[in-house]
Amino acid sequence: MKPNLLTSLAVMIMPFFGFAKELSIDEKIEKEFKPFADWIGSIVFYPVSIVGISVPIVLIVLLLGALFFTMYFKFANVRLLGVAFNAAKGKYDAVDHHSVDTVAGDPTPGGDVFESPQHEGVVGEVTHFQALTAALSATVGLGNIAGVAVAIAIGGPGATLWMILAGFLGMSTKLVEATLGVKYREVGTDGKIYGGPMYYLKQGLKEKNMMGLGKVLAAIYAVFVVGGSFGGGNMFQSNQAASQLKVLFDVKDGFWFGVIMAILVGAVIIGGIKRIGQVTEKIVPFMGILYVGAAFVIIFMNVDVVPEGLGQIWSSAFGNKAVVGGVIGVMIQGFRRAAFSNEAGVGSASIAHAAVKTRFPASEGIVASIGPFVDTVVICTMTALVIVITNIKSNLFIYGNLDGSSVVLNSSGKSVGGVDLTSVAFDSAIPNFSLILTIAVILFAFSTMLSWSYYGIQGWKYLFGKGRVSDLTYKGLFLLVVIIGASSSLNSVVEFSDSMIFAMVFPNVLGLLILAPKVKDELKRYLKAIKE
């Protein structure tokens, strides 16, 4: 893209910055944009009826794809979990980072000797652990706190079991995505890595004599990832973090919070994936320990009702007395939350994983499979357990007792959103937990914006070139949207952007299915290398 065109685009966006605080502007944008957003959403989330229950077609694609990959790779998601954690810890770095060549006069040909330099022939910008935390920072967020609460409230305790199952299935999809992300990545002259679905759709399908289809799918994906990065990966995050802060401190305006958040985000993303990896490897473990640690405390405090809670989860998952639509309804709620939380099949995480330092694409694919395990099997499950056992203890709400999309509290009859329900559940066991939850929400939002900025800029550069002007234009727009999101209520814009995130599923999963044999070959090569 030419500089003058980039400048024109920036000028088009600038008015929103100046009027972000004026509600009337929000309302005008909402009115004009809502029909278009609704139309896009109706396509992406087109409902298919299963035993009388509407299921978004994108959810069906995600789950069937995950089930296929789990079977195709012979349950590698569970079978190789130990290998995944060892690789993330760096146990196999000698395999990843060394290249042993036989040279004249070598007394130990093929051995690990002085002439086998570290990082010879190895490209990448971050470690396995940094790539994993960068990807996790995009998925571990408000969905784990708010979305799980609503899923449990609607589907009953049994949704937890199906959520765990979907998390395990999603691990297989992440393995495929990340392996392909590394295998087909491109390396710039400055050593920077460019990878993700845009590249494996284009290059991988070209190898399958589908060059035309690959180019089209790659371009479509790039457009979707840019749109998603501005909405669900940015505006929604800053808006929800600002909302929590407003409630806690009775602040009326989120504009200045948005400015501060934009400055902090800017300080990190200007440094690229290396800086993002350095920050997320510290933030993600901290916020995970903070949140999961609090959940463990509550479970321990209510250990006497844990057996009853587990019994409710099991019986509700299979029993005929499930709140909405029997066992299928409960299953769908659990699957929906898991799929939408860990984003397995969306393909975005492969962009972060592509930047890893390794010679074996499958090494990062295996590490990437940890993502849905941590995001869904651990963190989402902890949220669900806390809600189920505190509801037994304190009778907070009745499953299925909803007002629109909100949950009705027994104590006051007040309707609360997902994050508020989680807050009420935690507060019932730990007084004033709202403060800790606010800190967690802000950290989750901050880390999510960091990773989605990287995803978005990769799509942007794929479309408009990899020059400095293109880079700075995207980052400038991204930071402006942080402020707009914190100080406005552009609901339809966010809904549209969320639709774009899940629209990424269709070109991505199609490519994954076509390229699965390539992943199987890479998996065999890596497992053979670490064995030998």
Side-chain angles (χ1 to χ4, degrees), residues 463-505:
L463 294 169
F464 303 132
K466 300 170 183 174
R468 180 174 174 79
V469 173
S470 176
D471 183 273
L472 292 177
T473 301
Y474 174 84
K475 289 176 179 177
L477 293 175
F478 190 87
L479 296 178
L480 288 178
V481 173
V482 173
I483 301 173
I484 294 171
S487 54
S488 63
S489 55
L490 305 178
N491 297 324
S492 291
V493 176
V494 175
E495 290 173 9
F496 167 73
S497 302
D498 284 345
S499 298
M500 295 189 82
I501 289 178
F502 289 102
M504 292 154 62
V505 168

Side-chain angles (χ1 to χ4, degrees), residues 119-358:
H119 303 304
E120 181 179 322
V122 180
V123 297
E125 299 184 73
V126 294
T127 66
H128 284 298
F129 185 70
Q130 288 175 335
L132 175 63
T133 56
L136 271 174
S137 70
T139 59
V140 177
L142 296 172
N144 306 80
I145 300 175
V148 171
V150 173
I152 300 300
I154 296 174
T160 307
L161 187 64
W162 300 112
M163 183 173 61
I164 294 171
L165 176 59
F168 273 113
L169 293 176
M171 293 169 66
S172 301
T173 308
K174 278 287 174 77
L175 186 154
V176 179
E177 292 174 337
T179 300
L180 293 173
V182 177
K183 181 175 177 61
Y184 292 103
R185 64 186 176 180
E186 294 183 1
V187 184
T189 54
D190 56 357
K192 292 187 181 299
I193 302 297
Y194 301 94
M198 298 83 68
Y199 296 91
Y200 61 68
L201 288 171
K202 180 182 176 181
Q203 297 300 328
L205 268 60
K206 180 180 179 181
E207 292 181 2
K208 293 281 189 176
N209 297 318
M210 302 178 185
M211 183 172 66
L213 176 63
K215 285 184 176 180
V216 171
L217 293 180
I220 291 173
Y221 187 93
V223 171
F224 290 157
V225 77
V226 170
S229 73
F230 284 136
N234 181 337
M235 185 181 290
F236 175 73
Q237 303 299 325
S238 64
N239 182 272
Q240 291 299 294
S243 296
Q244 281 293 108
L245 206 65
K246 289 176 186 177
V247 171
L248 187 65
F249 296 107
D250 194 26
V251 178
K252 303 299 182 183
D253 192 350
F255 176 79
W256 291 111
F257 170 79
V259 171
I260 294 171
M261 185 68 86
I263 292 172
L264 294 174
V265 170
V268 178
I269 68 174
I270 288 174
I273 188 60
K274 286 185 179 180
R275 181 76 60 80
I276 292 172
Q278 291 167 358
V279 173
T280 56
E281 74 174 342
K282 298 177 179 65
I283 289 181
V284 170
F286 172 75
M287 68 187 187
I289 291 171
L290 176 70
Y291 186 71
V292 174
F296 267 122
V297 169
I298 293 175
I299 292 171
F300 180 77
M301 291 170 59
N302 297 279
V303 68
D304 57 315
V305 297
V306 168
E308 183 181 350
L310 294 175
Q312 284 191 5
I313 289 172
W314 182 262
S315 62
S316 175
F318 299 103
N320 294 323
K321 295 182 179 179
V323 175
V324 180
V327 65
I328 299 297
V330 181
M331 187 186 301
I332 289 169
Q333 287 301 326
F335 282 166
R336 182 200 302 264
R337 175 40 35 210
F340 288 5
S341 175
N342 61 50
E343 296 177 12
V346 172
S348 52
S350 68
I351 299 174
H353 287 293
V356 73
K357 297 174 183 175
T358 184

Side-chain angles (χ1 to χ4, degrees), residues 16-52:
F16 294 113
F17 176 68
F19 296 112
K21 296 187 289 184
E22 297 182 19
L23 184 60
S24 60
I25 296 297
D26 294 354
E27 291 174 339
K28 289 179 181 178
I29 296 175
E30 182 78 11
K31 180 180 178 181
E32 297 298 326
F33 200 78
K34 191 176 189 308
F36 183 58
D38 290 344
W39 178 71
I40 293 294
S42 67
I43 295 174
V44 176
F45 299 109
Y46 183 80
V48 176
S49 181
I50 299 180
V51 295

Side-chain angles (χ1 to χ4, degrees), residues 3 64 105 158 242 393 401 497:
L64 290 181
K393 198 92 171 195
N401 183 20
S497 302

Side-chain angles (χ1 to χ4, degrees), residues 74-96:
K74 300 177 181 178
F75 295 90
N77 51 337
V78 179
R79 180 167 50 89
L80 300 178
L81 190 56
V83 176
F85 279 107
N86 284 332
K89 290 188 295 184
K91 181 176 180 179
Y92 307 123
D93 281 358
V95 177
D96 280 342

